[in-house]
Amino acid sequence: MQKEIKKILVTGALGQIGTELTMALRDKYGEDKVIASDIRVDPPKKLRKSGLFLQVDVTKPDTINQVIIQHDVDTIFHMAAILSGIGEKDPHLCWNVNMNGSINVLNLGVKYDLNRIIIPSSMAVWGDGVPAENVPQDSVLKPTSMYGVTKVAGERLCDYYVRRHGLDCRGLRYPGIISHETLPGGGTTDYAVEIFYEAIKHKHYTCFLKEDTTLPMMYMPDCIKATMDLAEADYDNLEHHSDFNVAAMSFSPGELAEEIKKHIPNFTMDYRPDYRQPIAESWPRSIDDSCARREWNWQPSYNLESMVSDMIKKLRMKLL
Ligand code: NAD
Ligand code: AKB
């Protein structure tokens, strides 16, 4: 029988996903059951007021070790990472945080026989040799970015710890995540968040990807649901562990701009592709997530239309 989740540590809790995940975990398990941590020490008020926040650098195993012992942590949601854009500018930092951070968390998982560890992966695991449409669960993994290299190695590492140590480690390959609470942290899909801020504030956005670059994307409520549902899924039903494909919608910058124009008719967009264009071109246009649907009943709630409408409503309340 699977053990209940009792005390959670979230690493990278000040990031785009970590901030909203921490609040959702506190709602579900109780405010005193979820410790937020990050290398940064500037938590937003909501996160600071709702529970404990600690500074933890995941490249330093002693600091994680101390938190596990002092607070009786049994489950880690490991969200600390360096994303694709910053990773290409500083590949060494990307390798250090993503690989050493993950192996530190996994080693402590074995040392303290932790209940469960959730480590996200990304669509960045794909590169040369995959079909552009409906890339299957089990496919060739030849990423061309340093971030992608660390994500493939991270998945293989987690599955190794499952097999070798019997550690319950789970992960999903998020597509680009769109949200209105915390700005994204330096990825290739960040345009799909920045565009909303600029459309509402200035009615214009200069996009760093080409107009027709279609990528898989997901709205934050679905990302949080996927992460928490996978964490609670019955272990015996899981054939995969660290590398679940998950999908929700796919669109290009041009298609996103057209959808935004339905709400902001005078919005305009131009295109100035930069170093992130080749990264985006190395990723597939759409993803087959049938294994996640079969093994833990994954199903997204938002499509392009409902995501855009909700983003504009929420950001108008925040910005105007
Ligand atoms: P983010 O960049 O917004 O946040 C990462 C957080 O990690 C930041 O708050 C940063 O301060 C922290 N951090 C960096 N170095 C650290 C260190 N040494 N020790 C502790 N904390 C450190 O990232 P995110 O978007 O929230 O991503 C969370 C996870 O989801 C990552 O594994 C990422 O690869 C994955 N993912 C995200 C997306 C997306 O679109 N946001 C898509 C696919 C996968
Ligand atoms: C990035 O663009 O780096 C992330 C990701 C898809 O992993 N959003």
Side-chain angles (χ1 to χ4, degrees), residues 16 39 61 103 106-107 156 191 209 266 285 289 317:
Q16 185 193 7
I39 195 168
I103 203 162
L106 291 167
N107 283 337
R156 297 300 90 227
Y191 91 84
L209 295 184
N266 52 349
R285 295 158 60 94
D289 60 2
M317 287 193 293

Side-chain angles (χ1 to χ4, degrees), residues 8-22:
I8 296 169
L9 170 66
V10 182
T11 70
L14 301 190
Q16 185 193 7
I17 300 174
T19 41
E20 295 203 44
L21 179 66
T22 300

Side-chain angles (χ1 to χ4, degrees), residues 205-241:
Y205 179 60
T206 299
C207 185
F208 59 75
L209 295 184
K210 289 184 191 161
E211 184 172 7
D212 61 353
T213 312
T214 298
L215 288 172
M217 299 279 183
M218 182 181 285
Y219 196 29
M220 186 61 91
D222 279 332
C223 167
I224 300 297
K225 182 162 90 80
T227 311
M228 290 171 62
D229 285 357
L230 175 61
E232 284 291 1
D234 188 340
Y235 187 84
D236 293 338
N237 292 340
L238 302 182
E239 286 166 36
H240 297 82
H241 294 281

Side-chain angles (χ1 to χ4, degrees), residues 16 83-85 121-124 147 174-177 186-190 283:
Q16 185 193 7
L83 274 68
S84 59
S121 184
S122 161
M123 65 171 168
Y147 174 65
Y174 297 135
I177 305 299
T188 301
T189 58
D190 291 14
W283 294 346

